[in-house]
Amino acid sequence: MPESGAARLERVFRDAGRPLFVPYVMGGYPDMEASRRHAQILAAHADIIELGIPFSDPLADGPTIQAAGQAALDGGTRPVDVLDIAGDLRDGPPVVVMTYFNTVIAQGARDFLAAAAAKGVAGIIIPDLPVDEAAEVREAARAVGVALIALAAPTTDDARMAEIGTSAEGFVYLVAVTGVTGGEMTMDDRLRALVDRARRHIPVPVVVGFGVRTPDQAAEIGGLADGVVIASEIIRRIGNAPDPGAADDAVDAFGAGVAAALRPYSG
Amino acid sequence: MSVNMRFGPYGGRYVPETVIGALDELTEAYERYRDDPDFLSELGVLLGHYVGRPTPLYRARRLEDAWGIGSGLWFKREDLCHTGAHKINNALGQVLLARRMGKERIIAETGAGQHGVATATASALMGLGCRVYMGRTDMQRQRLNVIRMRMLGAEVHPVDSGSGTLKDATSEAIRDWVTNVDTTHYIIGSAVGPAPYPEIVADFQSVIGIESRAQMLEETGRLPGSVVACVGGGSNAIGIFRGFLDDADVALVGVEAGGEGPSGRHGASLALGRPGVLHGSYSYLLQDPDGQVAEAHSVSAGLDYPGVGPEHSHLRDIGRVTYVNATDEAALSAFLECSRLEGLIPALETAHALAHVRDGAAALRDGGPVLVCLSGRGDKDVDQAGAALGIDASA
Ligand SMILES: Cc1ncc(COP(=O)(O)O)c(C=O)c1O
């Protein structure tokens, strides 16, 4: 029996002994080959890779990820192609796929999850599948060794935090802001209290994302949480690069910068 | 009594965690106020004195003759509601709920602009701030309603993503809600979205069915043989159908947008889609094999939507309602016939129901009187229908 995705993820947190860096790559943006390269480049700096499968109507995403996803779809990106990128990263950091629920159920959740598992995917994040709707998918995912990563938000009350904690595996993705992706978080007492509340109710590692833009912000989050997700900022840097080589360099430099910002927490 | 979250397997709450608390709050508020005498009396007074309810039941004798419906053709005149369509029934009910929940800001999406106008109207009346999301394409084809909303003090926010139609406007409204959920109530405009919205909207619209059932009995001494309504998200249809669901002998027919016809683009989710998740609920959906939501098409902005309310999906599966569709072309010609023979310019959405009555007359009339939900008037459509039909204001 191979190690489950949940066990692999939890082992990465244990072994690192410092907050983890979880960069996001949108599969198929700006094109399939480039996203494959960006995933490889980030693998050298990251502890976990969040791999986005584009969806036509991403309700939790702001303009940056929306536009990237639409560009990927316009380029003909399909879920199977994105899962191939996960297959390439088998010997690297664990991959957590992020996509919306309709992508998962379009051909049947069981088949989708089995295909992801076959590519070595460790976990899946489905932002429009709240904990009360998730039981069936969580079981189907668990059966093939994929962890369903739950989300919690600033508006999640204590009772719900505890409910999320009860079934959580791998880690919990804590949304730093009341809003969609692509804004900017601010480290303040509210955010500190939120992370604190989440950690009290949730027994697995807590990773914070939404609105984290700079290595300094990542380091601030690292002082509180078990990991930090950065998504829109990476896409923005890719979009601003004048050519593919410059985009690769920008991804590399940014990834190295965030990893360095989190390193002082080691040991 | 607890609020319906599912209709058979359809419905649910497939939304970001951030708004779950607000959906719980709305559910609680609705459970608390739906039978509350003060709430019902405030709504009742507004429906009577502000909206103009009960709306009349009218017998369309000239169309009966033209279309060969000897059994009788009756219109439930929602076009006579203040603001020109049934949408105000829901907008007023929800604004009253929002006020009781202490929300200071209202947002809505709109396609044809009728829900946007209704929400802007209700917000003006209650002194609440209002922002309406509307696709760029729809702002052009329903220009007059954009002007009305702005006159009423609402902010109309253009949406450029996707095809700039109702689906995109709804996504953007949900993103606003996710961001401003503490202060804002989202008034969804059709019987769609995450629970409890489909139930709340259906309940506020069920006044159409309750009134028309009693009116049919009074005018004709019997129930209709069939009830026909157009289906975008399905709020006017579920509103009238709910009056007759338990009357097994009354045939219920929903008419979706057939668009360019079976080989072209359309909005016929129930006929040609398969179940999936869009905008928070599981329901029939136009989508590709990977689950990417397809762009719908209809000449009418209000039916140009790839999804449909979850209760309709259930009623389809259990066979209680038959869902058909009418093409752009059929709707436009019915629009003109109704205008010329009855002196009633219907909304383009409504014209789809009329087109089916005309084209399916032989089957419908055998069952007895035909009742149509005349969901709205066509003032908003004169630019677009005029262009399509070659009618303009030049000398
Ligand atoms: C007059 C009219 N009828 C019907 C519709 C379709 O919506 P629903 O299916 O919710 O009744 C609209 C929507 O804008 C409308 O304006």
Side-chain angles (χ1 to χ4, degrees):
Chain A
M1 184 75 188
E3 189 181 23
S4 75
R8 254 168 80 207
L9 290 165
E10 285 163 27
R11 183 164 53 77
V12 173
F13 284 95
R14 247 192 342 265
D15 291 353
R18 57 165 169 75
L20 303 193
F21 174 33
V22 187
Y24 174 96
V25 174
M26 170 66 83
Y29 174 79
D31 58 59
M32 193 49 78
E33 278 322 302
S35 63
R36 194 185 298 275
R37 278 199 320 277
H38 298 158
Q40 294 283 359
I41 292 167
L42 285 167
H45 308 294
D47 301 293
I48 295 169
I49 300 265
E50 187 184 348
L51 179 61
I53 297 180
F55 177 57
S56 53
D57 297 84
L59 291 184
D61 287 307
T64 305
I65 295 185
Q66 273 178 58
Q70 193 55 52
L73 291 175
D74 292 345
T77 301
R78 303 197 54 191
V80 284
D81 306 328
V82 180
L83 291 178
D84 270 345
I85 296 180
D88 294 347
L89 295 174
R90 233 179 244 284
D91 300 324
V95 172
V96 171
V97 159
M98 134 91 210
T99 193
Y100 286 80
F101 193 42
N102 203 46
T103 314
V104 177
I105 61 173
Q107 286 165 348
R110 253 163 241 289
D111 288 355
F112 182 89
L113 292 161
K119 297 290 180 185
V121 167
I124 183 164
I125 301 171
I126 310 175
D128 58 346
L129 189 69
V131 62
D132 357 48
E133 303 281 3
E136 214 173 301
V137 173
R138 189 184 311 113
E139 284 314 311
R142 196 173 281 162
V144 293
V146 174
L148 178 65
I149 306 299
L151 292 102
T155 51
T156 306
D157 65 19
D158 285 356
R160 236 181 120 78
M161 285 278 186
E163 189 188 341
I164 289 168
T166 303
S167 56
E169 51 186 16
F171 61 90
V172 162
Y173 190 141
L174 178 64
V175 173
V177 295
T178 302
V180 294
T181 58
E184 182 150 17
M185 48 87 46
T186 32
M187 180 53 74
D188 56 10
D189 287 347
R190 265 174 75 169
L191 183 53
R192 279 186 207 99
L194 172 66
V195 177
D196 189 53
R197 205 157 61 80
R199 296 188 66 146
R200 258 187 291 124
H201 292 288
I202 292 167
V204 296
V206 172
V207 170
V208 172
F210 278 41
V212 186
R213 292 186 166 188
T214 65
D216 285 350
Q217 287 172 331
E220 282 184 307
I221 300 276
L224 304 174
D226 302 301
V228 54
V229 179
I230 304 189
S232 298
E233 183 59 28
I234 296 177
I235 291 174
R236 227 173 269 128
R237 285 168 189 255
I238 294 168
N240 289 340
D243 59 65
D248 291 2
D249 292 345
V251 169
D252 193 29
F254 185 73
V258 177
L262 293 173
R263 210 166 290 135
Y265 292 101
S266 303
Chain B
M1 204 171 69
S2 72
V3 176
N4 256 345
M5 295 293 189
R6 295 252 174 202
F7 305 89
Y10 301 107
R13 304 196 297 182
Y14 300 96
V15 287
E17 171 66 20
T18 306
V19 295
I20 291 288
L23 290 173
D24 283 341
E25 184 190 353
L26 178 60
T27 306
E28 278 160 32
Y30 188 60
E31 281 170 357
R32 172 150 164 228
Y33 292 114
R34 66 191 300 178
D35 300 315
D36 175 69
D38 287 343
F39 179 83
L40 292 176
S41 107
E42 190 178 359
L43 181 59
V45 168
L46 285 171
L47 291 177
H49 296 265
Y50 188 72
V51 175
R53 304 207 71 90
T55 56
L57 186 73
Y58 164 76
R59 183 162 183 186
R61 290 179 191 273
R62 302 242 300 150
L63 282 176
E64 274 174 18
D65 290 346
W67 293 347
I69 306 176
S71 57
L73 175 61
W74 298 83
F75 288 167
K76 176 60 173 166
R77 297 288 308 278
E78 294 301 298
D79 61 316
L80 291 177
C81 289
H82 175 45
T83 69
H86 67 291
K87 299 284 183 186
I88 191 78
N89 303 326
N90 168 52
L92 275 176
Q94 285 206 49
V95 159
L96 292 186
L97 272 183
R99 226 182 34 180
R100 280 168 173 72
M101 289 189 293
K103 303 289 180 180
E104 61 214 35
R105 177 174 177 263
I106 298 293
I107 57 169
E109 85 297 336
T110 198
Q114 288 301 125
H115 174 59
V117 168
T119 304
T121 298
S123 300
L125 181 65
M126 298 294 154
L128 297 171
C130 176
R131 173 187 269 202
V132 179
Y133 289 90
M134 189 169 193
R136 185 81 68 177
T137 307
D138 290 340
M139 287 179 70
Q140 279 151 14
R141 61 179 163 170
Q142 306 278 255
R143 187 176 69 86
L144 296 174
N145 274 343
V146 176
I147 298 171
R148 291 170 80 196
M149 285 183 268
R150 288 180 171 156
M151 283 178 177
L152 290 160
E155 183 194 345
V156 180
H157 192 97
V159 178
D160 286 310
S161 54
S163 49
T165 56
L166 182 54
K167 177 190 81 148
D168 314 297
T170 307
S171 296
E172 214 43 45
I174 293 174
R175 292 188 188 105
D176 179 317
W177 199 41
V178 168
T179 308
N180 300 295
V181 62
D182 292 339
T183 57
T184 300
H185 177 60
Y186 174 29
I187 302 192
I188 211 161
S190 190
V192 300
Y197 280 108
E199 176 62 29
I200 291 179
V201 176
D203 197 11
F204 285 139
Q205 293 294 1
S206 65
V207 65
I208 306 172
I210 294 167
E211 283 176 11
S212 49
R213 188 176 190 280
Q215 289 167 320
M216 282 300 289
L217 287 172
E218 188 171 320
E219 296 280 340
T220 70
R222 56 161 296 174
L223 291 174
S226 55
V227 179
V228 183
C230 66
V231 178
S235 70
N236 87 91
I238 204 66
I240 197 163
F241 291 167
R242 280 212 171 174
F244 301 93
L245 282 175
D246 294 336
D247 301 311
D249 292 339
V250 178
L252 304 176
V253 184
V255 186
E256 294 188 289
E260 296 163 344
S263 57
R265 299 172 305 152
H266 56 79
S269 332
L270 289 160
L272 300 166
R274 62 197 166 82
V277 166
L278 175 68
H279 297 149
S281 66
Y282 181 64
S283 196
Y284 278 84
L285 179 63
L286 300 177
Q287 55 182 319
D288 79 4
D290 290 340
Q292 308 299 349
V293 180
E295 282 180 8
H297 165 80
S298 173
V299 67
S300 75
L303 306 189
D304 196 343
Y305 185 66
V308 68
E311 190 170 0
H312 288 290
S313 290
H314 180 56
L315 292 169
R316 171 203 188 272
D317 282 6
I318 64 173
R320 178 63 188 96
V321 180
T322 308
Y323 294 91
V324 299
N325 50 81
T327 62
D328 289 351
E329 201 184 328
L332 279 165
S333 62
F335 171 94
L336 200 58
E337 285 173 79
C338 184
S339 303
R340 302 244 159 123
L341 290 172
E342 295 290 346
L344 294 175
I345 301 178
L348 278 174
E349 290 76 18
T350 316
H352 287 70
L354 296 171
H356 176 71
V357 168
R358 177 191 61 199
D359 301 338
L364 290 173
R365 71 178 164 236
D366 291 343
V370 178
L371 169 64
V372 177
C373 185
L374 210 77
S375 58
R377 57 180 183 247
D379 306 31
K380 69 187 178 63
D381 294 314
V382 296
D383 280 344
Q384 197 197 358
L389 295 164
I391 301 169
D392 64 28
S394 61

